[in-house]
């Protein structure tokens, strides 16, 4: 289909223990949360399987594509945090600003790199906040303290930054 | 002077971009000062907490009695975590947990905190501060390094990258039994390089300072110990972030050297 360009449909931040730290959908009202949770879950095994072949790089590239539209890209930090970006190949209508190349050719793995880098920076900034305690967001601590409820990230700044990344990203964008 | 960025990285693709907000410059001495000042601060806080606790628990016996009649201002006492008993027990435990975290557990016990307990509380405070710093710092510095595949790799990363970042030098010696125990030796541990022993007899006026920092013989190595709690916690935090659960024990056998024994969970001696 012409006239539509890829956009980010979902950004997932998954913790060390495969616990969801943050999931954002774009646009939130048009996406089914459960469907994307399944998609994110289905990526976790791919990380495991590829890990031995990835001694240096944090970029896992294309993890899988479920259909014509949705494709998942992954990134694993040295500290075990997984970033997953689900790209919708027909996410939004093309505007005059989009180059012809972006609409014609498919995505390259390198196209996602800036988005992942920005995500990682956002996560580092979150950890620089002294009031954010990573252990509070781990299911291990939550279980040992018999805490109920979500262990997801509640920082508004982080959520906004994730949204900004998703909005800014487009194929060919080099800095976010 | 130096940034958090390792100076060896010159490749523009790996070094953080100019827009990287985490690449800020800080005077190198500030970390040295911080590491030194942290220890007396921890002692002061522990002392203040103990004093306040004493006040609360002596005051709460009266307020608790009032509670039995009125039971209105329960939440106010709950925060103290003192010895409020009877009617408001459940609230007390809940309040203490949320208000001051695990630290109250070590700080409350008795009104008159003896030396051993103060030492424990200070240790706990400094160690957990270091732990949290370790968790954060490793996220930042490991972003452009290769993924450590074995535990030994992780320890090496610690000895080289982390140590260079924090103390401008690498660890001098790493020993391991290949079963989960690692001993890192730093012959000139930066935070200890400014320390010296007084070879003359200690004047009586300084006795206060001595008891403040661990007591005993003014020239004993035990006085160095508190300054190693924070780095030990930092190592533990870094390892935890890289996926290794461990306990870290630091000790000083002679200034300005320091050894850190890392015992990973499930290690065999």
């Amino acid at each position: 289909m012409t006239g539509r360009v890829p956009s980010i449909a979902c950004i997932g931040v998954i913790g060390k223990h495969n616990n969801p730290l943050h999931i954002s959908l774009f646009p939130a009202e048009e996406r089914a949360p459960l469907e994307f949770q399944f998609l994110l879950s289905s990526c976790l095994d791919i990380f495991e399987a590829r890990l031995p072949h990835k001694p240096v790089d944090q970029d896992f590239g294309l993890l899988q594509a479920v259909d014509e539209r949705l494709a998942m890209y992954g990134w694993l930090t040295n500290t075990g945090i997984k970033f997953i970006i689900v790209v919708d190949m027909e996410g939004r209508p093309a505007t005059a600003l989009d180059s012809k190349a972006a609409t014609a050719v498919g995505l390259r793995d390198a196209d996602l790199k800036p988005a992942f880098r920005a995500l990682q920076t956002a996560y580092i900034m979150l950890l620089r906040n002294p009031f954010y305690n990573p252990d509070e967001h781990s299911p291990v601590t939550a279980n040992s303290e018999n805490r109920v409820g979500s262990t997801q990230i509640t920082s508004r700044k982080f959520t906004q930054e994730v949204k900004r990344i998703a909005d800014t990203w487009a194929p060919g964008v080099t800095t976010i | 002077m130096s940034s958090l960025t390792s100076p060896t990285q010159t490749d523009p693709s790996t070094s953080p971009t100019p827009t990287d907000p985490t690449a800020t410059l800080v005077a190198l001495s500030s970390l040295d000062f911080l590491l030194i000042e942290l220890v007396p601060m921890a002692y002061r806080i522990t002392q203040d907490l103990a004093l306040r606790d004493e006040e609360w628990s002596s005051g709460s016996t009266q307020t608790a009695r009032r509670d039995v009649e009125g039971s209105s201002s329960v939440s106010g006492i709950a925060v103290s975590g003192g010895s409020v008993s009877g009617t408001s027990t459940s609230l007390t435990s809940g309040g203490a947990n949320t208000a001051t975290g695990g630290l109250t557990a070590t700080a409350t016990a008795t009104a008159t905190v003896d030396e051993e307990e103060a030492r424990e509380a200070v240790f706990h405070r400094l160690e957990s501060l270091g732990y949290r710093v370790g968790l954060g710092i490793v996220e930042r510095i490991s972003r452009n390094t290769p993924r450590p595949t074995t535990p030994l790799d992780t320890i090496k990363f610690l000895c080289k990258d982390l140590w260079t970042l924090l103390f401008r030098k690498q660890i001098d010696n790493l020993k391991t039994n290949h079963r989960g125990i690692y001993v890192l030796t730093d012959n000139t541990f930066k935070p200890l390089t400014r320390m010296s022993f007084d070879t003359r007899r200690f004047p009586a006026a300084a006795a206060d300072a001595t008891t403040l920092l661990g007591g005993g013989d003014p020239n004993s190595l035990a006085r160095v110990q508190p300054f190693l709690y924070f780095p030990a916690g930092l190592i533990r935090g870094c390892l935890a972030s890289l996926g290794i659960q461990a306990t870290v024990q630091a000790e000083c056998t002679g200034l300005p050297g320091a050894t850190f024994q890392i015992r990973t969970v499930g290690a065999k001696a």
Side-chain angles (χ1 to χ4, degrees), chain A residues 16 57 78-79 127 132 135, chain B residues 131-132 139 142 145 147 241:
Chain A
K16 206 181 302 239
D57 207 2
N78 287 350
T79 51
L127 270 169
Y132 174 79
D135 282 347
Chain B
Y131 175 74
R132 175 62 185 81
E139 197 72 51
S142 74
T145 57
R147 189 190 321 284
S241 191

Side-chain angles (χ1 to χ4, degrees), chain A residues 16 51 54-60 76-81 116-118 120-121 123-135 175, chain B residues 4 13-14 17 19-24 131-132 135-136 138-149 157 238-243 245:
Chain A
K16 206 181 302 239
L51 193 55
K54 284 274 184 190
V56 178
D57 207 2
Q58 308 200 352
D59 190 0
F60 274 56
L76 174 66
T77 72
N78 287 350
T79 51
I81 309 293
F116 280 121
R117 284 196 203 288
Q120 193 168 6
T121 306
Y123 187 73
I124 290 170
M125 292 305 280
L126 175 72
L127 270 169
R128 278 158 56 103
N129 177 357
F131 296 106
Y132 174 79
N133 185 354
D135 282 347
T175 47
Chain B
L4 283 174
S13 67
T14 53
T17 53
T19 53
D20 184 356
T22 55
T24 42
Y131 175 74
R132 175 62 185 81
L135 287 182
V138 85
E139 197 72 51
R140 169 77 177 83
I141 59 165
S142 74
R143 85 177 283 178
N144 291 319
T145 57
R147 189 190 321 284
T149 42
F157 166 79
C238 279
L239 289 175
S241 191
L242 290 166
Q245 296 299 323

